[in-house]
Amino acid sequence: MGSHCRSVLTAALGLAVLALGVANAAELRQLKVETGATGTRAELHLDRSETYRLIPLTHPDRLVVDLPQSRLAAGVALPAPAGVVKSVRTGQPMPGTLRVVFDLAGAVRAIPTTLQDASGGTVLVLEWPGDGPTIAATPAPLPAAAALSVTHPNPASSPVAGASASSPSAPTSSDPADPIAAFASRPLPVATDPAQAAARASQPAPASLPGPATAPPVAPALAPLPPSRSAEQAGVRPLVVAIDAGHGGQDPGARGPGGTREKDVTLAIARELARQVNATSGLKAYLTRDSDVFIPLEYRARRASANKADIFISIHADAAENRSARGSSVFILSTRGASSQRARWLADKENAADVIGGARVLRTADSTLTSVLLDLTQSGNMKASEDAAQHVLGGLKRIGDIHKDGIERANFAVLRTSDKMPAMLVETAFISNPEEERKLTDPDYQRRLARAILDGVDAYFSRQPPPGTLYALRAQGKQAAQVTSPERTTERTPLGAGASP
């Protein structure tokens, strides 16, 4: 009788522990998969931060995400295929562990990033860079409950069971290595075909791009124009323009007198700039964020590097106690002091975003060793950043007020990890100025700002075209035309200006 009671009590205690574990489990509340100009993106929205494990598998190609102490919330729908993701499945390989399986159309490396959303939850973002194989359209997503019927809750029968043991190198959230930096260090093949590319050498750059017929609201995303594929068809790589919408998530940035949040206008301008970039031959846009999420400053340029960006542009909206302050500004990184007191104050304010967002803050920026190392890694990029920023500032001068006639310098944290590309921070206007706040929320003005920034980028790459790009081919074509027709380049003094006929 005593042993029977002990067995009953043990079983009851086990059930209580299991019930407590289920009650305390994190919930996966949303699954999203979407594709864009820079590749395929999946988002796993959880109600709180939890550890995860990524398990890449082959034959067939899959990516498994295991979430210990997690469960699928009721009513969650599985997303439809998009980009390189053929299908999404969920299961439970062991009690208390939620498994999400992404069936892939090819062997493409995923870049994982853990973010925080505006509601305080956690978003695990997986990005597969590149266009990838095309996936045929499929019916609407199935409810998660229906999908669970085809998964394998038993680890022994699951097609991905035991993957943890065979994949010791799979990254986890506790890995000390930065998965984004690791991805950036791996070279990706670039297709080249000079014979086909030469046919497009003399193609002129596109003229100004007309905006859409109807004005979109500030916060929702604009539908991007189909990206031009002329560069890829010609066998040359497109130049990747990384566009960073400042702030996001629980970090709203500055607020205008009318309540406009900086994070909303920067995202709207970034999306419009990406739309115009993707409509320009030889260019391709990459957005560091395309939703209302918080990204630590040190990861923004690293994400751009991982996506092989050729230039990095961080979009912001300035603020000042003096509400009459107005105009645009362009800043580049300086490791040896700021160009003005205002530039130093602004860098300190922007660098505080990580504190607001709750991210780990690097405290070594002021040490002598860190400054020396930063100088060494950035020395080759300082001049390129300055040249690119001058062109962008020139574009902004043509559409409105400039706060200061010249680029400014300060130690911006978001620019410190951009050692592989020219980088700048653009303060589009003063959101603290009531008039400029209204302009920043005007879709037409957002289009003009984006066009001005794009004009500067186009001018910079036209003057300094990287090899193997459409811009380099255009430059070669112009040089060839000048050699074959030298009389066309001869400058002629107009009659009546002191010259003889």
Side-chain angles (χ1 to χ4, degrees):
M1 180 70 179
S3 60
H4 177 69
C5 290
R6 283 195 297 271
S7 299
V8 171
L9 289 174
T10 301
L13 181 61
L15 291 174
V17 171
L18 180 62
L20 182 62
V22 171
N24 292 332
E27 277 194 342
L28 178 61
R29 295 182 171 179
Q30 186 180 21
L31 263 170
K32 295 170 61 178
V33 176
E34 54 192 19
T35 186
T38 58
T40 308
R41 175 187 177 101
E43 294 183 3
L44 291 79
H45 293 251
L46 295 106
D47 62 345
R48 67 173 183 267
S49 177
E50 283 295 343
T51 59
Y52 66 91
R53 182 174 179 82
L54 300 185
I55 309 171
L57 299 174
T58 57
H59 307 298
D61 294 300
R62 287 154 290 158
L63 179 66
V64 177
V65 183
D66 277 353
L67 300 162
Q69 300 179 357
S70 300
R71 64 183 178 184
L72 193 69
V76 174
L78 297 183
V84 299
V85 177
K86 295 165 56 178
S87 63
V88 181
R89 298 176 282 126
T90 61
Q92 189 179 25
M94 62 188 69
T97 296
L98 173 64
R99 172 166 287 175
V100 182
V101 181
F102 295 92
D103 294 307
L104 305 177
V108 187
R109 295 189 300 272
I111 306 174
T113 307
T114 304
L115 310 176
Q116 291 183 325
D117 62 20
S119 63
T122 297
V123 184
L124 172 59
V125 178
L126 303 170
E127 292 182 300
W128 293 271
D131 299 323
T134 303
I135 304 300
T138 58
L142 296 172
L148 283 171
S149 63
V150 298
T151 59
H152 303 268
N154 188 332
S157 61
S158 172
V160 295
S164 299
S166 61
S167 304
S169 62
T172 68
S173 63
S174 59
D175 282 346
D178 181 359
I180 298 176
F183 176 87
S185 64
R186 299 180 184 179
L188 294 178
V190 179
T192 57
D193 187 351
Q196 294 181 6
R200 305 194 60 86
S202 60
Q203 178 177 336
S208 60
L209 177 71
T214 59
V218 173
L222 292 174
L225 295 181
S228 172
R229 298 298 176 199
S230 59
E232 291 86 341
Q233 293 170 357
V236 294
R237 72 174 184 89
L239 287 164
V240 178
V241 181
I243 307 164
D244 173 49
H247 306 280
Q250 61 267 47
D251 172 23
R255 288 182 182 269
T260 304
R261 300 179 300 186
E262 182 181 3
K263 68 174 184 177
D264 296 328
V265 296
T266 59
L267 182 57
I269 295 169
R271 285 171 171 166
E272 174 59 23
L273 177 56
R275 187 187 73 88
Q276 294 188 23
V277 165
N278 286 331
T280 303
S281 296
L283 298 180
K284 186 176 183 179
Y286 170 73
L287 286 165
T288 60
R289 74 174 179 98
D290 194 18
S291 58
D292 186 20
V293 294
F294 171 76
I295 302 176
L297 296 176
E298 64 176 304
Y299 281 98
R300 294 178 182 243
R302 290 186 185 182
R303 288 163 66 90
S305 295
N307 282 272
K308 309 300 180 186
D310 295 276
I311 192 169
F312 178 83
I313 303 172
S314 189
I315 305 294
H316 290 258
D318 215 337
E321 292 184 6
N322 180 6
R323 290 197 174 186
S324 63
R326 60 190 304 115
S328 304
S329 304
V330 181
F331 295 81
I332 62 174
L333 179 67
S334 170
T335 59
R336 301 181 180 181
S339 57
S340 66
Q341 185 63 34
R342 172 181 171 270
R344 182 181 295 107
W345 173 85
L346 183 62
D348 290 342
K349 180 176 72 73
E350 298 294 355
N351 294 348
D354 275 352
V355 178
I356 297 172
R360 178 177 61 90
V361 180
L362 297 177
R363 300 292 184 185
T364 59
D366 294 329
S367 73
T368 302
L369 177 60
T370 301
S371 298
V372 170
L373 293 175
L374 197 57
D375 277 343
L376 291 174
T377 58
Q378 288 286 351
S379 58
N381 262 353
M382 293 295 190
K383 185 62 170 66
S385 296
E386 182 177 354
D387 291 345
Q390 288 285 11
H391 285 294
V392 170
L393 184 64
L396 292 169
K397 286 180 179 179
R398 291 190 288 271
I399 69 162
D401 296 325
I402 294 297
H403 186 70
K404 189 171 182 180
D405 190 20
I407 60 172
E408 297 196 68
R409 297 166 175 81
N411 194 0
F412 288 93
V414 73
L415 303 179
R416 290 177 197 157
T417 53
S418 61
D419 57 301
K420 295 180 175 65
M421 72 201 97
M424 70 191 77
L425 185 146
V426 178
E427 295 284 359
T428 52
F430 277 84
I431 198 171
S432 54
N433 181 309
E435 180 184 352
E436 294 204 333
E437 178 189 19
R438 287 190 294 270
K439 291 167 67 175
L440 285 170
T441 60
D442 178 13
D444 182 62
Y445 187 70
Q446 292 169 6
R447 285 192 291 272
R448 292 173 59 202
L449 278 172
R451 182 72 250 177
I453 295 171
L454 177 56
D455 285 346
V457 172
D458 180 75
Y460 169 71
F461 284 131
S462 295
R463 288 177 177 266
Q464 303 184 46
T469 64
L470 192 60
Y471 280 77
L473 292 176
R474 289 175 187 151
Q476 294 169 8
K478 290 179 181 178
Q479 290 177 356
Q482 291 175 358
V483 171
T484 56
S485 304
E487 68 278 0
R488 293 186 179 180
T489 63
T490 303
E491 294 186 3
R492 300 181 182 275
T493 305
L495 296 178
S500 301

